[in-house]
């Protein structure tokens, strides 16, 4: 992600008008000049309900790919699993409304802090030597989490960069996926010719920030003060927008002030690794059942861009749209996003997969006995979780 929905880059909500493009530094400086007013606007929003406070969720950690990952886990672990992957700039917390909703639907839900963000490790890299942040490695880490939790398959849901990652989980590890859901970001099919930040910016002026993010100099902006950077960036993205109040914005600013933006920016620098890993998949069908949710008011991943990305290699792709909410639609249009997830996941499990979302006690006892090869009724999965 990044040019803010706060600063209108188009003459209308439609894609007809040519965008006015500033550098990302200019956007951040303009935001800092108005941060007092944005704080005032956010201060009068309703406070966060207790069930959506960060501390109300069940926080856990795992070592994946050699790095410590932080994740939130909610719901019955014996039910079907949904893994939520956030974008940039975001954290697991961007899914707070979907976590509770999916648990109410009967799912076991995991929401990770991506590598480089939040409480997950942030491996330091030099220049473009950013292999830990290559999408195949990130996908492997998520599959390793399934392995550690004794989960065979899951539905992976991603937003923004998180969608980029979950599309790769489906491409590299289709056998571990019940389905893939992307909120706003289409799957760019592998190509022989590499596509990096410069090519994307040339293709779409709204992506002009991407080459800036690739450069190491961005980490020295504002004299390297991560709090100033985070204050500017999160006010640019969330300040004055619906769906995020003052305390929630502060949670983001404090988190990124501690961790810095180094890890998150490395996602923009990993394109050469990604291209090399994807070459064997050029022209191959994408076989995992998938849903692409288009946010009609997204001013970054615009509807025109999303619909223009080729989707011809999908075996089973459904597209839907949400009329309201900007780039961070999962917090700006909570009911609409949750309704769409309900619709598709019900269809996926009831009609396509024909398997239940929840397991009855009889089914669980039978599976537990089969797993341990005897009459024990405590599953290996449960033991692993309790440890």
């Amino acid at each position: 992600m990044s040019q803010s929905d706060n600063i209108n880059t188009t003459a209308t909500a439609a894609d007809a008008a040519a965008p006015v493009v500033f550098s990302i530094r200019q956007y951040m400086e303009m935001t800092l000049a108005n941060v007092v007013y944005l704080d005032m606007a956010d201060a009068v929003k309703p406070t966060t309900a207790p069930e959506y406070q960060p501390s109300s969720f069940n926080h856990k950690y795992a070592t994946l790919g050699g790095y410590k990952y932080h994740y939130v886990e909610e719901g019955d672990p014996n039910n079907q699993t949904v893994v939520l992957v956030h974008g940039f700039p975001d954290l697991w917390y961007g899914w707070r409304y979907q976590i509770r909703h999916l648990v109410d639907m009967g799912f076991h839900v995991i929401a990770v802090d991506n590598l480089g963000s939040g409480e997950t490790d942030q491996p330091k890299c030099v220049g473009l030597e950013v292999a830990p942040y290559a999408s195949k490695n990130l996908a492997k880490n998520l599959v390793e989490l399934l392995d550690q939790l004794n989960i065979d398959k899951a539905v992976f849901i991603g937003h923004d960069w998180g969608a980029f990652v979950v599309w790769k989980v489906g491409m590299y590890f289709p056998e571990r996926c019940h389905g893939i859901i992307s909120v706003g970001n289409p799957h760019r099919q592998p190509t022989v010719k590499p596509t990096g930040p410069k090519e994307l910016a040339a293709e779409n002026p709204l992506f002009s920030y991407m080459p800036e993010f690739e450069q190491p100099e961005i980490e020295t902006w504002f004299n390297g003060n991560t709090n100033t950077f985070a204050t500017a960036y999160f006010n640019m993205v969330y300040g004055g927008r619906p769906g995020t109040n003052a305390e929630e914005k502060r949670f983001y600013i404090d988190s990124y002030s501690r961790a810095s933006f180094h890890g998150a920016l490395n996602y923009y620098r990993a394109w050469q690794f990604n291209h090399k890993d994807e070459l064997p998949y050029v022209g191959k069908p994408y076989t995992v059942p998938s849903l692409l949710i288009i946010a009609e008011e997204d001013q970054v991943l615009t509807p025109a861009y999303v619909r223009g990305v080729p989707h011809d290699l999908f075996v089973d792709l459904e597209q839907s749209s949400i009329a309201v909410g900007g780039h961070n639609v999962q917090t700006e249009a909570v009911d609409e996003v949750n309704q769409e997830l309900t619709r598709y996941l019900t269809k996926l499990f009831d009609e396509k997969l024909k398997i239940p979302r929840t397991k009855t006690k009889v089914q669980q006892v039978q599976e537990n006995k089969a797993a341990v090869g005897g009459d024990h009724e405590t599953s290996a999965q449960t033991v692993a979780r309790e440890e």
Side-chain angles (χ1 to χ4, degrees):
M1 190 265 167
S2 239
Q3 287 166 316
S4 170
D5 291 327
N6 292 323
I7 302 171
N8 187 14
T9 59
T10 57
T12 69
D15 298 312
V20 178
V21 178
F22 296 93
S23 74
I24 201 70
R25 177 73 180 261
Q26 288 175 304
Y27 274 104
M28 294 173 73
E29 289 173 345
M30 287 188 286
T31 302
L32 282 175
N34 292 281
V35 72
V36 172
Y37 304 103
L38 294 171
D39 283 346
M40 290 172 60
D42 293 332
V44 299
K45 294 176 182 176
T47 58
T48 306
E51 65 269 27
Y52 296 117
Q53 294 280 353
S55 60
S56 72
F57 292 86
N58 188 25
H59 297 264
K60 294 190 175 183
Y61 301 85
T63 300
L64 310 173
Y67 301 107
K68 184 191 80 171
Y69 266 71
H70 165 253
Y71 65 98
V72 159
E73 184 179 27
E74 297 287 335
D76 188 339
N78 294 312
N79 294 345
Q80 300 293 346
T81 298
V82 173
V83 179
L84 301 168
V85 186
H86 68 80
F88 172 75
D90 208 341
L91 300 165
W92 70 270
Y93 193 53
W95 295 110
R96 55 194 176 276
Y97 299 111
Q98 286 69 47
I99 295 171
R100 297 300 190 207
H101 175 73
L102 290 167
V103 169
D104 288 343
M105 282 188 68
F107 286 104
H108 168 233
V109 182
I110 294 169
V112 300
D113 267 341
N114 293 343
L115 189 70
S117 297
E119 294 184 59
T120 293
D121 278 351
Q122 184 186 96
K124 300 297 182 182
C125 302
V126 178
L128 297 180
E129 296 302 316
V130 292
Y133 298 92
S135 59
K136 187 172 185 178
N137 289 332
L138 299 173
K140 281 182 181 177
N141 293 347
L142 295 178
V143 170
E144 184 177 348
L145 181 59
L146 296 189
D147 291 340
Q148 291 187 20
L149 298 179
N150 295 320
I151 298 168
D152 180 38
K153 291 185 176 184
V155 175
F156 291 85
I157 305 177
H159 170 250
D160 190 78
W161 268 109
F164 181 86
V165 173
V166 303
W167 285 127
K168 305 308 180 189
V169 177
M171 185 174 77
Y172 293 125
F173 306 101
E175 73 282 359
R176 307 304 299 270
C177 304
H178 280 313
I180 301 292
I181 299 176
S182 168
V183 180
N185 198 2
H187 173 56
R188 293 186 67 99
Q189 298 171 168
T191 57
V192 174
K193 183 179 178 181
T195 303
K198 291 181 180 178
E199 290 77 15
L200 288 170
E203 174 185 311
N204 186 344
L206 286 172
F207 295 158
S208 62
Y209 64 90
M210 289 186 177
E212 292 184 85
F213 282 7
E214 189 182 14
Q215 302 305 313
E217 289 77 18
I218 189 172
E219 296 177 48
T220 67
W221 290 0
F222 307 109
N223 297 317
N225 187 311
T226 55
N227 182 259
T228 302
F229 196 113
T231 299
Y233 210 92
F234 282 99
N235 273 286
M236 185 179 71
V237 175
Y238 296 111
R241 294 286 306 177
T244 303
N245 63 28
E247 61 184 307
E248 292 161 351
K249 185 174 69 175
R250 174 51 54 187
F251 177 78
Y252 281 106
I253 292 172
D254 289 347
S255 177
Y256 272 84
S257 294
R258 290 191 299 269
S260 89
F261 284 74
H262 174 77
L265 291 170
N266 281 334
Y267 286 60
Y268 294 89
R269 300 164 179 158
W271 63 273
Q272 295 183 57
F273 291 93
N274 296 340
H275 177 253
K276 182 179 178 181
D277 288 336
E278 291 172 9
L279 281 174
Y281 295 85
V282 172
K284 291 189 176 181
Y286 196 99
T287 59
V288 179
S290 302
L291 170 67
L292 172 59
I293 301 174
I294 302 171
E296 297 292 346
E297 294 183 351
D298 193 328
Q299 291 180 298
V300 181
L301 297 167
T302 64
Y305 163 73
V306 174
R307 292 188 171 99
V309 173
H311 301 104
D312 55 290
L313 295 179
F314 278 88
V315 173
D316 182 359
L317 174 66
E318 185 174 329
Q319 297 186 47
S320 65
S321 66
I322 292 176
V324 295
H327 183 70
N328 298 298
V329 68
Q330 72 274 32
T331 55
E332 295 185 11
V334 175
D335 291 342
E336 289 80 0
V337 171
N338 287 349
Q339 288 168 10
E340 189 56 27
L341 294 180
T342 297
R343 182 197 66 79
Y344 183 76
L345 289 169
T346 300
K347 178 179 179 181
L348 177 67
F349 282 94
D350 293 355
E351 298 178 21
K352 293 185 178 184
L353 302 176
K354 296 185 181 347
I355 56 176
R357 295 192 295 271
T358 61
K359 296 180 180 180
T360 67
K361 289 187 177 181
V362 172
Q363 287 175 311
Q364 191 57 48
V365 168
Q366 292 173 341
E367 291 183 11
N368 292 345
K369 289 181 177 180
V372 299
D375 294 330
H376 301 84
E377 294 190 3
T378 302
S379 69
Q381 180 173 340
T382 303
V383 170
R385 290 176 191 284
E386 292 175 349
E387 290 177 349

